[in-house]
Amino acid sequence: QVQLVESGGGLVQAGGSLRLSCAASGRTFGSYAMGWFRQAPGKEREFVSSISQSGGSTYYADSVKGRFTVSRDNAKNTVYLEMNSLKPEDTAVYYCAARYWSSSYLYTEYNYWGQGTQVTVSS
């Protein structure tokens, strides 16, 4: 069982930056690939980024590539999403998720989810 708690969301102007954190419980954090997803009102949940168990492999949606950076600290059981050059279309609730073993861009393949953190980018 893994419990995930996101933090770091907020209101920011376009062009600004935010850093999201996702703290995980349990002693097996290093066994899980981690993903970040987002969901805007009236839209489906979409893949943002994922990172392998060791952090050696990272993946990004085209819409955030070059602006967002995912990382993890297995000693702290935490995964991060550094978001730069934010745009109004990045406004959404951001969720972190854990998937045993390998990462995926499909939200249906993740086993555990956080409660989400709101990111609002004003124009």
Side-chain angles (χ1 to χ4, degrees):
Q1 189 79 6
V2 177
Q3 292 184 324
L4 305 172
V5 179
E6 301 99 333
S7 61
L11 173 63
V12 64
Q13 288 188 332
S17 299
L18 283 174
R19 188 193 197 201
L20 305 184
S21 299
C22 174
S25 65
R27 295 176 291 177
T28 59
F29 179 70
S31 298
Y32 291 86
M34 300 298 295
W36 285 97
F37 293 80
R38 65 188 182 187
Q39 189 165 18
K43 294 188 176 182
E44 285 196 4
R45 192 167 298 191
E46 66 172 356
F47 171 78
V48 175
S49 180
S50 65
I51 187 167
S52 62
Q53 299 150 293
S54 67
S57 297
T58 57
Y59 307 90
Y60 299 94
D62 288 344
S63 59
V64 307
K65 202 171 292 182
R67 300 188 297 123
F68 291 11
T69 302
V70 63
S71 61
R72 67 189 294 165
D73 185 338
N74 285 351
K76 295 183 178 180
N77 280 15
T78 303
V79 62
Y80 305 96
L81 186 67
E82 184 76 33
M83 305 186 296
N84 298 313
S85 301
L86 283 161
K87 305 175 181 179
E89 50 264 43
D90 294 318
T91 295
V93 177
Y94 283 70
Y95 299 90
C96 71
R99 182 175 190 260
Y100 186 71
W101 207 246
S102 62
S103 62
S104 170
Y105 65 90
L106 299 175
Y107 72 86
T108 54
E109 294 190 351
Y110 283 78
N111 308 105
Y112 302 101
W113 290 85
Q115 82 289 349
T117 186
Q118 177 71 46
V119 171
T120 303
V121 184
S122 62
S123 57

